[in-house]
Amino acid sequence: MKIKKLILTSAVAGMVLVSVTTVALAASIVQNGSFEYGTEPGLYLQVDTEDTDIVNWEVVSGNVEIIGTYWPASEGSRSIDLSGLVAGSIRQPFPTEAGKNYIVKFDMAGNPEGGSGIKTLTADVGGDPISPFSFDTTNHTKNTKETMGWETRNFEFTATAGTTVLTFTSNVDSAYGPALDNVIVEEIVSLPPQTVMPADKEECKKDGWEEFGVFNNQGDCVSYVETDGQNEPANQ
Ligand SMILES: [Ca+2]
Ligand SMILES: [Ca+2]
């Protein structure tokens, strides 16, 4: 394995750092997570079960609303009130791989009309429901994106099948529900361990070379540093 020389900060100089980093892949696996595609809602549009106004999403209980100009979206120009006239629920199946880890991110606010209060929703990926996510609409208004107060929420899960169904359900059985936008699902990938190498030959001295675990002796270590990594460690 070719080990790249990394610049060390003084705080970690001389120490062997082996880290496993997790990153989320950039491409979202769910489609239309920002609810921008589907029937033009105007101010807003109620969507009932069996309606197909929201591309890629199915309303599975109650009803929801696509919010257009009624309040500012978190992303793009549309979002969802998960309580249309009553508590609603939407879902979307997406491809996964059993055993792999995923992160679900979404932006949440609440319908600030009809009296303020705490709005809650439940997320479900086929196992135990993850609940509740809450947003307090107190002191929020629909005047601007900022006064809506959109906040990002997230949770992680491990897939158990080749398809996972993501469901968001309103826990507010009124016309003023939790607001939802910008749903993103990404695979979490573990990067291979990365070994930090000495950047200065001082790190090789006083048995420092032993800490890196790839040198035979101090001379090997110094040689590595002085050749800018071209004289590779003997034991890598
Ligand atoms: Ca949107
Ligand atoms: Ca509503």
Side-chain angles (χ1 to χ4, degrees):
M1 183 178 75
K2 177 79 173 175
I3 299 178
K4 289 182 179 170
K5 179 181 170 187
L6 299 176
I7 303 300
L8 295 178
T9 66
S10 59
V12 296
M15 297 178 63
V16 174
L17 298 181
V18 178
S19 63
V20 176
T21 308
T22 58
V23 295
L25 295 181
S28 178
I29 303 167
V30 292
Q31 305 295 313
N32 196 25
S34 186
F35 308 106
E36 301 299 302
Y37 302 104
T39 307
E40 165 58 48
L43 208 56
Y44 59 85
L45 176 70
Q46 182 178 321
V47 186
D48 295 282
T49 54
E50 302 188 5
D51 288 347
T52 56
D53 297 282
I54 314 172
V55 172
N56 298 111
W57 294 91
E58 176 188 5
V59 178
V60 287
S61 67
N63 49 48
V64 304
E65 285 145 346
I66 310 170
I67 304 297
T69 54
Y70 192 68
W71 67 53
S74 175
E75 201 277 337
S77 58
R78 301 180 189 179
S79 61
I80 295 292
D81 183 347
L82 271 178
S83 299
L85 290 175
V86 296
S89 179
I90 60 171
R91 73 180 176 193
Q92 177 178 152
F94 59 92
T96 49
E97 194 171 319
K100 287 193 171 178
N101 299 313
Y102 299 84
I103 184 168
V104 178
K105 294 182 274 192
F106 59 95
D107 293 343
M108 185 179 181
N111 189 329
E113 303 293 288
S116 60
I118 293 174
K119 312 294 182 178
T120 61
L121 65 81
T122 299
D124 187 306
V125 285
D128 294 330
I130 300 150
S131 66
F133 292 93
S134 64
F135 182 90
D136 188 350
T137 61
T138 303
N139 298 325
H140 288 283
T141 71
K142 61 186 177 65
N143 296 348
T144 68
K145 182 175 172 178
E146 286 68 35
T147 60
M148 276 294 289
W150 290 101
E151 296 175 356
T152 300
R153 305 275 194 267
N154 71 78
F155 64 92
E156 298 179 9
F157 71 95
T158 303
T160 58
T163 299
T164 297
V165 181
L166 172 62
T167 306
F168 290 102
T169 302
S170 171
N171 298 332
V172 182
D173 198 15
S174 75
Y176 313 100
L180 178 69
D181 199 5
N182 204 23
V183 180
I184 294 170
V185 178
E186 294 169 329
E187 182 187 335
I188 299 171
V189 178
S190 294
L191 298 177
Q194 191 174 52
T195 303
V196 176
M197 298 296 285
D200 188 294
K201 62 185 179 185
E202 290 302 313
E203 297 169 35
C204 301
K205 296 178 179 175
K206 296 176 182 172
D207 295 331
W209 60 273
E210 292 182 331
E211 300 295 320
F212 295 95
V214 293
F215 299 110
N216 280 334
N217 50 51
Q218 180 174 318
D220 277 356
C221 182
V222 171
S223 173
Y224 172 88
V225 174
E226 290 187 335
T227 63
D228 206 23
Q230 290 192 30
N231 283 353
E232 296 183 358
N235 297 331
Q236 70 175 278

